[in-house]
Amino acid sequence: MADLSCKKTKIFQIGMTLVEIMVALVVLSIGLLGLAGLQAATAKYRINTTARAASTGLVFDISERMRVNADAAGPSFIQAGSFSTSSYVIADDWTTQQAASFTITTNCESSTCTPAQRADYDLKTWRQKVRNSFPQGAAMISGNKRDGVLLTLMWFDKEFNDGSSARNLISAPSCSGNLRGMANQTCCPSEAAAPEGVRCSRFSFVP
């Protein structure tokens, strides 16, 4: 009888071990599902975060180009010989910019250029950087060195949707005088005719 009791005890102990393993697997599965959800959330905001991080360098780049080539950046209160309007202007809408090639005709790094040629070179070089930095990157620039420059960077974000199961893309708000704060910094100019899924980030500066 003593041997039988011992065997039953061993069987019971083995059974409890299997239950513990099953519980551990369930807990591990829940943890892995949570990790997968975290990775999905990280991927969701990665494009947007990367784009905004790249914006700082691009804004600094174009402002420096305007500062170096000040004559072509528009009128000035004190500088004679400045252009009456800025050559650093991008007014093309989203669709037009997506089809543009930005072919450089005169390389001002190796050739002597006029202020107008330098502005053309600067814009094409800079717009290539915008396209390479953002998914379908584009930009609009208005203003001049005297009155200030308004720069809008645009990019496509497939995660810019309504959050439904259908994941329908939505449109950024159109810029107007009624917008304030963050809404005014993330709206898209109406003249850009940006389609659904396009995000915008606006900056203003004086070169």
Side-chain angles (χ1 to χ4, degrees):
M1 292 295 292
D3 292 340
L4 181 59
S5 174
C6 182
K7 290 181 179 179
K8 287 182 178 180
T9 302
K10 290 182 178 179
I11 292 174
F12 177 74
Q13 290 176 342
I14 293 174
M16 288 298 293
T17 303
L18 291 175
V19 170
E20 291 171 356
I21 291 175
M22 291 178 65
V23 171
L25 288 174
V26 171
V27 173
L28 179 61
S29 299
I30 294 174
L32 290 175
L33 288 174
L35 181 60
L38 178 62
Q39 289 179 334
T42 302
K44 177 179 180 180
Y45 296 106
R46 183 175 56 193
I47 293 177
N48 194 31
T49 302
T50 301
R52 295 193 184 283
S55 300
T56 304
L58 290 167
V59 173
F60 178 78
D61 187 351
I62 193 64
S63 65
E64 283 298 303
R65 291 176 187 272
M66 291 181 184
R67 190 173 292 112
V68 170
N69 191 22
D71 284 347
S76 172
F77 290 111
I78 59 175
Q79 187 174 4
S82 298
F83 287 25
S84 58
T85 58
S86 175
S87 295
Y88 289 91
V89 172
I90 304 174
D92 297 333
D93 63 19
W94 171 269
T95 302
T96 303
Q97 293 196 48
Q98 295 308 307
S101 61
F102 308 140
T103 302
I104 296 174
T105 54
T106 303
N107 187 341
C108 294
E109 297 296 332
S110 57
S111 304
T112 302
C113 293
T114 64
Q117 289 174 326
R118 180 75 197 197
D120 180 71
Y121 171 79
D122 285 341
L123 278 181
K124 288 178 178 176
T125 302
W126 182 78
R127 293 173 77 177
Q128 288 175 355
K129 290 184 178 181
V130 172
R131 179 171 289 179
N132 293 332
S133 299
F134 304 125
Q136 301 180 41
M140 298 191 76
I141 300 177
S142 60
N144 55 63
K145 67 182 179 187
R146 183 189 66 191
D147 304 321
V149 175
L150 178 60
L151 164 63
T152 302
L153 293 170
M154 302 178 285
W155 66 93
F156 180 78
D157 184 357
K158 64 179 181 180
E159 299 296 341
F160 192 29
N161 57 65
D162 57 7
S164 67
S165 58
R167 300 171 64 83
N168 299 309
L169 295 175
I170 60 176
S171 298
S174 182
C175 298
S176 68
N178 299 325
L179 297 178
R180 295 290 184 273
M182 184 60 68
N184 189 49
Q185 296 174 14
T186 57
C187 63
C188 290
S190 57
E191 56 270 27
E196 296 175 342
V198 171
R199 291 185 184 271
C200 294
S201 186
R202 304 175 78 204
F203 303 86
S204 58
F205 59 90
V206 177

